[in-house]
Amino acid sequence: MERRSELKVGLAGVGLDTYWGQFEGLLPRLTGYRKEIGERLGLLGARVVDAGMIDRPEKALAAATQLNGEEVELLFLFISTYALSSTVLPLAQRVKAPVILLNLQPVAAIDYEYLNGLGDRGKMTGEWLAHCQACSAPEFANVFNRAGIRYDIVTGYLQETCAWDEIAAWMDAARAVRGMRNNRLGILGHYYCGMLDVYTDTTLQSAVFGTHIELLEMCELKAYRDAVTGGELAAKLQEFRTRFEVVPACEDCELERAARTSVALDRLAEAHRLGSLAYYYEGYAGNEYEDLATSLIAGNTLLTGNQIPVAGECEVKNVQAMKILSLLGAGGSFAEFYAMDFNDDVVMLGHDGPAHFAIAEGGVKLVPLPMYHGKPGKGLSIQMSVRHGEVTLLSVCEGKDGLFLLVAEGESAPGPVLQIGNTNSRYRFACGARTFMNRWSKAGPSHHCAIGVGHVAGKLEKVAFLLDIPVVKIESK
């Protein structure tokens, strides 16, 4: 899982300059609230660019210039009191970052007794205006809708946990979008022949996510493999025994074959600065490249555990999904539908690797397979189950109208799984296995998906918003 990195965000308060001369102390009080928000954003890993109080259109223009110059990823617009939409619109139109309106009162409710006991109507009005954040929310939304400006709203109060959870989720989503934009995705080999659902428009992937796609050569990987030294091989074998539970049935020759390839994969990833990889290759029977292609799973699992997710069968769309979940700190393991257990009302998903160490229930076993199902050759594979508890399934889908995200939240459940040298887990969904299977399939994904731990559909919906693509969530009922 990837570490939460610093995110540059913009912050601005909005108000009405007419008030400052009418209500003594109102402006400093509202400024204090904005600074409190800035401090909380900093604790969430933000580098805050504070554009101050925007209380007339001229300030909006200057703030947009400042925020664009700093290249902020998000703009948090704090509605500090009532403000004119004519003040806010120029900022929202010009700033090159998604706008999140913070409709945050200072407290959960006005102290009515205190306010009504002030006696002086002017002081009473000033006290109300300090709690008047909700007044402008529909006005701003109306104007943004009519102007075609994309935005969202966080409503609550300054110390409210759920409001700050929502703000943190926006920041995590923005980090994921930035990570995808800066990602270098390698494609090694070719598609599994005949899997029409897996084929994708790589130009569209780059256009939507900003991902750079690097086309790689198997002969380069082979050259790195041929150059592996004895010391490198020994170190990798030690890494295998540290990271995996290596079952006794693994032959030394197979371990050495996989370790040599793993060293080569590390070099390939380093040489091309890869952040993810999709691969598939067969090679002609008995050819050196078949030997190489059948020894990839262990090394690709190590890469996946080191924040370089790898998807087999050249499933580009699915490694994009795995990378998004990795960037959100949810893991992201490669899977496909295996079977259904109607007695226990669960769906079983797994694959012949790679797996993700960070989301495993127990250890990740390295086991021998005398035959790869549906593929040539034999070699080492992975036996792992996803950690029991909340999970999220994600598929990056390509439909007739473009890309969209498909999301479902469920539970990884204990129970018997197939011991066939694959990742394999049991998943339960609130809508039931039958309904889930039909709804998921009819949404139009490929037969692969990425699995992460925790319920992160809310963050994925925000990722889709920031990317301006649709998201389909499988309803729980």
Side-chain angles (χ1 to χ4, degrees), residues 203-224:
T203 300
L204 186 60
Q205 294 290 326
S206 291
V208 170
F209 292 106
T211 303
H212 170 78
I213 293 178
E214 189 84 353
L215 301 179
L216 306 171
E217 300 292 345
M218 287 295 291
C219 55
E220 180 181 357
L221 182 64
K222 182 181 181 301
Y224 292 142

Side-chain angles (χ1 to χ4, degrees), residues 397-469:
C397 306
E398 188 173 332
K400 61 184 178 63
D401 297 319
L403 294 185
F404 64 95
L405 302 185
L406 177 60
V407 181
E409 292 180 334
E411 174 191 0
S412 173
V417 295
L418 308 177
Q419 302 292 323
I420 58 173
N422 285 193
T423 66
N424 199 232
S425 297
R426 303 159 62 86
Y427 298 96
R428 184 170 285 117
F429 301 92
C431 63
R434 297 173 191 266
T435 300
F436 168 78
M437 194 71 216
N438 290 344
R439 289 177 179 175
W440 181 271
S441 299
K442 290 169 74 173
S446 72
H447 68 281
H448 299 119
C449 67
I451 299 175
V453 292
H455 282 173
V456 295
K459 292 182 181 181
L460 292 169
E461 288 171 329
K462 291 173 171 57
V463 167
F465 172 88
L466 297 176
L467 293 169
D468 196 15
I469 60 175

Side-chain angles (χ1 to χ4, degrees), residues 39-61:
E39 291 171 0
R40 289 286 296 268
L41 290 172
L43 293 175
L44 292 174
R47 178 183 167 193
V48 180
V49 179
D50 190 344
M53 172 65 79
I54 313 300
D55 53 14
R56 59 181 186 273
E58 294 80 5
K59 284 190 176 181
L61 300 177

